């Protein structure tokens, strides 16, 4: 059974940091591109960051460049999102996604709330 379980969300003040984790099981994690998406209140879901299976290629949304860092540990089947200098506009539900060719899996999401 495929599972993606996000954790690490919570309430933080502006300027603070959080580290999200997404633990994967039920598929060959090291073969998948892993991504973090977010959906803020009244907004569409948007890509935050992605990392290829080897970790050799990483992409970020312009809005988080220099503040967020995506990483993965294929031995632990886990992808991380280190978020620093958080802003109220980063408030959203954060989801991880696994993609390989036409196959994709989503987690249930973790809420991040940044207070001003």
């Amino acid at each position: 059974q495929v599972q993606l379980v996000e954790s690490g969300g919570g309430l933080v003040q502006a300027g603070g940091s959080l580290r999200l984790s997404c633990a994967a099981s039920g598929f060959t994690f090291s073969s998948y591109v892993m991504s973090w998406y977010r959906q803020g209140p009244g907004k569409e879901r948007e890509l935050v960051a992605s990392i290829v299976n080897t970790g050799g290629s990483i992409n970020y949304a312009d809005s988080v460049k220099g503040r967020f860092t995506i990483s993965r540990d294929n031995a632990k089947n886990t992808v991380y999102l280190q978020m620093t200098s958080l802003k109220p506009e980063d408030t959203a539900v954060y989801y991880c996604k696994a993609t390989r060719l036409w196959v994709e899996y989503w987690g249930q999401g973790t809420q991040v709330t940044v207070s001003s």
Side-chain angles (χ1 to χ4, degrees), residues 2 7 19 21 23 34 38 40-41 43 51-53 56 61-62 67 69 72 83 86-87 95 99 104 109 114:
V2 171
S7 61
R19 187 195 196 203
S21 300
M34 298 302 298
R38 68 185 181 187
K43 298 180 181 180
I51 183 168
V52 298
N53 57 334
D62 287 343
R67 300 188 298 122
T69 302
R72 65 189 294 162
M83 305 185 294
L86 283 161
K87 305 174 181 180
Y95 301 88
T99 307
E104 61 180 42
V114 184

mmCIF file of all heavy atoms in Angstrom, residues 2 7 19 21 23 34 38 40-41 43 51-53 56 61-62 67 69 72 83 86-87 95 99 104 109 114:
data_model
loop_
_atom_site.group_PDB
_atom_site.id
_atom_site.type_symbol
_atom_site.label_atom_id
_atom_site.label_comp_id
_atom_site.label_asym_id
_atom_site.label_seq_id
_atom_site.Cartn_x
_atom_site.Cartn_y
_atom_site.Cartn_z
ATOM 1 N N VAL A 2 0.650 2.119 -0.957
ATOM 2 C CA VAL A 2 1.433 3.342 -1.058
ATOM 3 C C VAL A 2 1.005 4.342 0.012
ATOM 4 O O VAL A 2 -0.193 4.566 0.223
ATOM 5 C CB VAL A 2 1.262 3.974 -2.454
ATOM 6 C CG1 VAL A 2 1.890 5.352 -2.512
ATOM 7 C CG2 VAL A 2 1.858 3.068 -3.524
ATOM 8 N N SER A 7 4.759 15.440 7.898
ATOM 9 C CA SER A 7 4.772 15.852 9.301
ATOM 10 C C SER A 7 5.642 17.097 9.433
ATOM 11 O O SER A 7 6.372 17.450 8.504
ATOM 12 C CB SER A 7 5.301 14.735 10.203
ATOM 13 O OG SER A 7 6.632 14.398 9.842
ATOM 14 N N ARG A 19 10.699 22.544 9.645
ATOM 15 C CA ARG A 19 11.200 21.508 8.770
ATOM 16 C C ARG A 19 10.102 20.478 8.572
ATOM 17 O O ARG A 19 9.669 19.821 9.519
ATOM 18 C CB ARG A 19 12.428 20.832 9.353
ATOM 19 C CG ARG A 19 13.105 19.849 8.395
ATOM 20 C CD ARG A 19 14.073 18.970 9.150
ATOM 21 N NE ARG A 19 15.003 18.273 8.263
ATOM 22 C CZ ARG A 19 15.628 17.143 8.591
ATOM 23 N NH1 ARG A 19 15.448 16.593 9.781
ATOM 24 N NH2 ARG A 19 16.473 16.581 7.740
ATOM 25 N N SER A 21 8.716 16.944 6.874
ATOM 26 C CA SER A 21 9.181 15.630 6.431
ATOM 27 C C SER A 21 8.049 14.912 5.729
ATOM 28 O O SER A 21 6.875 15.125 6.044
ATOM 29 C CB SER A 21 9.647 14.793 7.622
ATOM 30 O OG SER A 21 10.717 15.404 8.310
ATOM 31 N N ALA A 23 7.422 10.933 4.777
ATOM 32 C CA ALA A 23 7.890 9.557 4.813
ATOM 33 C C ALA A 23 7.098 8.716 3.821
ATOM 34 O O ALA A 23 5.866 8.732 3.839
ATOM 35 C CB ALA A 23 7.736 8.991 6.213
ATOM 36 N N MET A 34 10.534 13.678 -6.277
ATOM 37 C CA MET A 34 9.734 14.092 -5.132
ATOM 38 C C MET A 34 9.541 15.603 -5.156
ATOM 39 O O MET A 34 10.465 16.358 -5.483
ATOM 40 C CB MET A 34 10.407 13.668 -3.826
ATOM 41 C CG MET A 34 10.563 12.169 -3.657
ATOM 42 S SD MET A 34 8.987 11.283 -3.718
ATOM 43 C CE MET A 34 8.122 11.993 -2.310
ATOM 44 N N ARG A 38 1.973 23.362 -2.254
ATOM 45 C CA ARG A 38 1.202 23.984 -1.184
ATOM 46 C C ARG A 38 -0.073 24.604 -1.752
ATOM 47 O O ARG A 38 -0.135 24.951 -2.927
ATOM 48 C CB ARG A 38 2.014 25.042 -0.445
ATOM 49 C CG ARG A 38 2.352 26.291 -1.261
ATOM 50 C CD ARG A 38 3.253 27.214 -0.462
ATOM 51 N NE ARG A 38 3.582 28.429 -1.200
ATOM 52 C CZ ARG A 38 4.451 29.342 -0.783
ATOM 53 N NH1 ARG A 38 5.078 29.186 0.388
ATOM 54 N NH2 ARG A 38 4.702 30.419 -1.506
ATOM 55 N N GLY A 40 -2.675 27.544 -0.390
ATOM 56 C CA GLY A 40 -3.075 28.530 0.592
ATOM 57 C C GLY A 40 -4.572 28.760 0.552
ATOM 58 O O GLY A 40 -5.255 28.328 -0.397
ATOM 59 N N PRO A 41 -5.112 29.454 1.536
ATOM 60 C CA PRO A 41 -6.550 29.723 1.587
ATOM 61 C C PRO A 41 -7.019 30.465 0.338
ATOM 62 O O PRO A 41 -6.487 31.531 0.012
ATOM 63 C CB PRO A 41 -6.693 30.602 2.834
ATOM 64 C CG PRO A 41 -5.460 30.382 3.629
ATOM 65 C CD PRO A 41 -4.379 30.042 2.662
ATOM 66 N N LYS A 43 -6.547 29.746 -2.673
ATOM 67 C CA LYS A 43 -5.582 29.726 -3.775
ATOM 68 C C LYS A 43 -5.515 28.344 -4.409
ATOM 69 O O LYS A 43 -5.931 27.351 -3.818
ATOM 70 C CB LYS A 43 -4.192 30.125 -3.265
ATOM 71 C CG LYS A 43 -4.111 31.524 -2.693
ATOM 72 C CD LYS A 43 -2.700 31.816 -2.227
ATOM 73 C CE LYS A 43 -2.592 33.213 -1.616
ATOM 74 N NZ LYS A 43 -1.208 33.502 -1.147
ATOM 75 N N ILE A 51 12.782 17.650 -6.455
ATOM 76 C CA ILE A 51 14.123 17.080 -6.451
ATOM 77 C C ILE A 51 14.076 15.743 -7.168
ATOM 78 O O ILE A 51 13.210 14.917 -6.901
ATOM 79 C CB ILE A 51 14.646 16.950 -4.997
ATOM 80 C CG1 ILE A 51 16.073 16.414 -4.970
ATOM 81 C CG2 ILE A 51 13.719 16.079 -4.143
ATOM 82 C CD1 ILE A 51 16.720 16.541 -3.584
ATOM 83 N N VAL A 52 15.004 15.537 -8.091
ATOM 84 C CA VAL A 52 15.009 14.287 -8.842
ATOM 85 C C VAL A 52 15.489 13.145 -7.954
ATOM 86 O O VAL A 52 15.966 13.364 -6.842
ATOM 87 C CB VAL A 52 15.876 14.390 -10.114
ATOM 88 C CG1 VAL A 52 15.316 15.449 -11.034
ATOM 89 C CG2 VAL A 52 17.335 14.631 -9.767
ATOM 90 N N ASN A 53 15.394 11.927 -8.467
ATOM 91 C CA ASN A 53 15.652 10.758 -7.639
ATOM 92 C C ASN A 53 17.073 10.717 -7.084
ATOM 93 O O ASN A 53 17.280 10.262 -5.953
ATOM 94 C CB ASN A 53 15.346 9.473 -8.406
ATOM 95 C CG ASN A 53 16.142 9.356 -9.704
ATOM 96 O OD1 ASN A 53 16.549 10.343 -10.284
ATOM 97 N ND2 ASN A 53 16.344 8.132 -10.145
ATOM 98 N N GLY A 56 20.284 15.256 -7.854
ATOM 99 C CA GLY A 56 21.177 16.072 -8.660
ATOM 100 C C GLY A 56 20.539 17.287 -9.291
ATOM 101 O O GLY A 56 21.248 18.178 -9.774
ATOM 102 N N ALA A 61 10.167 27.277 -6.587
ATOM 103 C CA ALA A 61 9.340 28.411 -6.995
ATOM 104 C C ALA A 61 10.094 29.694 -6.646
ATOM 105 O O ALA A 61 10.816 29.756 -5.643
ATOM 106 C CB ALA A 61 8.005 28.368 -6.270
ATOM 107 N N ASP A 62 9.900 30.710 -7.467
ATOM 108 C CA ASP A 62 10.604 31.981 -7.225
ATOM 109 C C ASP A 62 10.285 32.531 -5.840
ATOM 110 O O ASP A 62 11.146 33.154 -5.203
ATOM 111 C CB ASP A 62 10.216 33.001 -8.293
ATOM 112 C CG ASP A 62 10.829 32.697 -9.651
ATOM 113 O OD1 ASP A 62 11.796 31.897 -9.700
ATOM 114 O OD2 ASP A 62 10.347 33.247 -10.649
ATOM 115 N N ARG A 67 15.062 30.750 0.635
ATOM 116 C CA ARG A 67 14.470 30.568 1.966
ATOM 117 C C ARG A 67 14.177 29.104 2.276
ATOM 118 O O ARG A 67 14.264 28.674 3.424
ATOM 119 C CB ARG A 67 13.171 31.364 2.088
ATOM 120 C CG ARG A 67 13.340 32.860 1.890
ATOM 121 C CD ARG A 67 12.059 33.616 2.222
ATOM 122 N NE ARG A 67 10.938 33.241 1.369
ATOM 123 C CZ ARG A 67 9.774 32.747 1.833
ATOM 124 N NH1 ARG A 67 9.594 32.571 3.125
ATOM 125 N NH2 ARG A 67 8.798 32.453 0.984
ATOM 126 N N THR A 69 14.685 24.875 1.419
ATOM 127 C CA THR A 69 15.624 23.893 0.890
ATOM 128 C C THR A 69 14.967 22.520 0.892
ATOM 129 O O THR A 69 14.519 22.052 1.937
ATOM 130 C CB THR A 69 16.907 23.844 1.726
ATOM 131 O OG1 THR A 69 17.516 25.143 1.764
ATOM 132 C CG2 THR A 69 17.893 22.841 1.116
ATOM 133 N N ARG A 72 16.487 15.004 0.166
ATOM 134 C CA ARG A 72 15.916 13.666 0.286
ATOM 135 C C ARG A 72 16.968 12.721 0.831
ATOM 136 O O ARG A 72 18.168 12.914 0.605
ATOM 137 C CB ARG A 72 15.385 13.165 -1.062
ATOM 138 C CG ARG A 72 16.432 12.960 -2.126
ATOM 139 C CD ARG A 72 15.766 12.688 -3.478
ATOM 140 N NE ARG A 72 15.049 11.432 -3.487
ATOM 141 C CZ ARG A 72 14.106 11.127 -4.405
ATOM 142 N NH1 ARG A 72 13.790 12.010 -5.343
ATOM 143 N NH2 ARG A 72 13.495 9.948 -4.357
ATOM 144 N N MET A 83 12.278 25.129 5.827
ATOM 145 C CA MET A 83 11.703 26.444 5.526
ATOM 146 C C MET A 83 12.223 27.450 6.541
ATOM 147 O O MET A 83 12.065 27.240 7.754
ATOM 148 C CB MET A 83 10.179 26.379 5.587
ATOM 149 C CG MET A 83 9.587 25.297 4.691
ATOM 150 S SD MET A 83 7.784 25.335 4.655
ATOM 151 C CE MET A 83 7.409 24.902 6.340
ATOM 152 N N LEU A 86 10.197 32.479 7.324
ATOM 153 C CA LEU A 86 8.804 32.276 6.925
ATOM 154 C C LEU A 86 8.015 33.573 6.968
ATOM 155 O O LEU A 86 8.248 34.449 7.816
ATOM 156 C CB LEU A 86 8.151 31.230 7.805
ATOM 157 C CG LEU A 86 8.548 29.787 7.448
ATOM 158 C CD1 LEU A 86 8.271 28.836 8.604
ATOM 159 C CD2 LEU A 86 7.812 29.334 6.196
ATOM 160 N N LYS A 87 7.092 33.677 6.017
ATOM 161 C CA LYS A 87 6.250 34.854 5.875
ATOM 162 C C LYS A 87 4.789 34.446 6.016
ATOM 163 O O LYS A 87 4.437 33.285 5.738
ATOM 164 C CB LYS A 87 6.459 35.483 4.495
ATOM 165 C CG LYS A 87 7.897 35.831 4.166
ATOM 166 C CD LYS A 87 8.024 36.313 2.732
ATOM 167 C CE LYS A 87 9.470 36.635 2.367
ATOM 168 N NZ LYS A 87 9.590 37.100 0.955
ATOM 169 N N TYR A 95 1.855 19.707 0.749
ATOM 170 C CA TYR A 95 1.699 18.324 0.320
ATOM 171 C C TYR A 95 3.000 17.828 -0.318
ATOM 172 O O TYR A 95 3.675 18.580 -1.023
ATOM 173 C CB TYR A 95 0.609 18.205 -0.746
ATOM 174 C CG TYR A 95 -0.752 18.669 -0.326
ATOM 175 C CD1 TYR A 95 -1.130 19.998 -0.476
ATOM 176 C CD2 TYR A 95 -1.680 17.773 0.198
ATOM 177 C CE1 TYR A 95 -2.388 20.427 -0.112
ATOM 178 C CE2 TYR A 95 -2.948 18.199 0.567
ATOM 179 C CZ TYR A 95 -3.289 19.527 0.408
ATOM 180 O OH TYR A 95 -4.538 19.946 0.771
ATOM 181 N N THR A 99 6.463 11.283 -8.173
ATOM 182 C CA THR A 99 6.152 11.169 -9.598
ATOM 183 C C THR A 99 7.181 10.310 -10.309
ATOM 184 O O THR A 99 8.393 10.467 -10.106
ATOM 185 C CB THR A 99 6.160 12.552 -10.270
ATOM 186 O OG1 THR A 99 5.317 13.448 -9.557
ATOM 187 C CG2 THR A 99 5.686 12.447 -11.715
ATOM 188 N N GLU A 104 1.700 9.059 -10.186
ATOM 189 C CA GLU A 104 1.938 10.020 -9.125
ATOM 190 C C GLU A 104 1.149 9.654 -7.891
ATOM 191 O O GLU A 104 0.039 9.109 -7.975
ATOM 192 C CB GLU A 104 1.592 11.449 -9.559
ATOM 193 C CG GLU A 104 0.164 11.701 -9.954
ATOM 194 C CD GLU A 104 -0.045 13.150 -10.369
ATOM 195 O OE1 GLU A 104 0.798 13.725 -11.080
ATOM 196 O OE2 GLU A 104 -1.092 13.711 -9.980
ATOM 197 N N GLY A 109 -1.158 15.957 3.370
ATOM 198 C CA GLY A 109 -0.875 17.350 3.663
ATOM 199 C C GLY A 109 -0.635 17.633 5.128
ATOM 200 O O GLY A 109 -1.113 16.905 6.007
ATOM 201 N N VAL A 114 1.707 30.769 9.429
ATOM 202 C CA VAL A 114 2.711 31.761 9.819
ATOM 203 C C VAL A 114 1.986 33.010 10.279
ATOM 204 O O VAL A 114 1.248 33.628 9.499
ATOM 205 C CB VAL A 114 3.657 32.081 8.649
ATOM 206 C CG1 VAL A 114 4.751 33.046 9.110
ATOM 207 C CG2 VAL A 114 4.271 30.810 8.084
#
